[in-house]
Amino acid sequence: MNQTIRYKILELFMLHYPKPYMELSFNSAFELLISVILSAKSTDKSVNKATSLLYSIANTPFTMLKLGLYRLNKIINVIGLHNKKSIYIIQTCKILVHNYQGKVPDNRIDLEKLPGVGRKTASIILNTIFHQPVIAVDTHVFRICNRTSFAIGKNVKEVESKLTKLVPIYFKYNLHNWFVLHGRYICTARNPNCNKCFINHLCCFHLINKLK
């Protein structure tokens, strides 16, 4: 795919998703951090269900530590891998309190030192909270990039590297949310809704299938 087509695709996303949003519910950097940790291999719906109660009780590192591991685990037990995630959250809160005065770090190095925080989670925090032009590549972003030929890569790291080079900075702030929303509701993993897709005339997957 050439850069002119990529630019047209990005312009269409900007037109159709003028105000892209995360479907995780949060009201602070800390709440988003915890929600993203909880979202690994879980749906946003299940995370929001758990955090609606959790954040009414504990929504800072200090109150989370006061809540404790046992009670935290009981509250989030509707989420997959809740035992491991409870431990990650308590460990992360201890680090935030002891090293960062309870604040979420604003740089990748410190973020990725937190238990349960990988590159994708760090990128989401940096992009959403600190408004940095970084692109988090999750399963939806990875699928759309490869399916459309927007940025082909064998793994997440490869796709992220290509996106970093190919996407103009102006679009980097919203690309993650654009592709996630599109991946959930249009370009789904199984049976993508190509007829409802506003970029189908620019998508290699759709154009090839039309020729079959």
Side-chain angles (χ1 to χ4, degrees), residues 99-114:
N99 297 353
Y100 304 101
Q101 295 76 51
K103 296 181 179 179
V104 175
D106 63 357
N107 65 88
R108 183 178 297 282
I109 292 175
D110 288 337
L111 280 170
E112 290 188 19
K113 288 179 181 177
L114 299 174

Side-chain angles (χ1 to χ4, degrees), residues 142-149 187-190 192 203-205:
F142 182 79
R143 179 175 68 254
I144 290 176
C145 283
N146 278 285
R147 181 178 279 170
T148 63
S149 295
C187 195
T188 51
R190 295 182 181 180
C203 172
C204 291
F205 175 81

Side-chain angles (χ1 to χ4, degrees), residues 147-159:
R147 181 178 279 170
T148 63
S149 295
F150 188 93
I152 297 172
K154 296 177 182 177
N155 51 55
V156 167
K157 186 176 180 181
E158 218 174 284
V159 169

Side-chain angles (χ1 to χ4, degrees), residues 13 17 138-150 178-200 203-206 209:
F13 269 96
Y17 299 114
D138 67 356
T139 181
H140 299 295
V141 178
F142 182 79
R143 179 175 68 254
I144 290 176
C145 283
N146 278 285
R147 181 178 279 170
T148 63
S149 295
F150 188 93
W178 281 338
F179 280 22
V180 168
L181 289 171
H182 202 65
R184 283 179 179 163
Y185 301 110
I186 303 294
C187 195
T188 51
R190 295 182 181 180
N191 304 315
N193 298 307
C194 294
N195 291 334
K196 295 182 180 180
C197 179
F198 54 82
I199 63 164
N200 60 15
C203 172
C204 291
F205 175 81
H206 178 67
N209 279 342

Side-chain angles (χ1 to χ4, degrees), residues 113-129:
K113 288 179 181 177
L114 299 174
V117 177
R119 187 170 182 85
K120 183 195 77 174
T121 299
S123 292
I124 290 173
I125 298 298
L126 292 172
N127 178 251
T128 306
I129 300 298

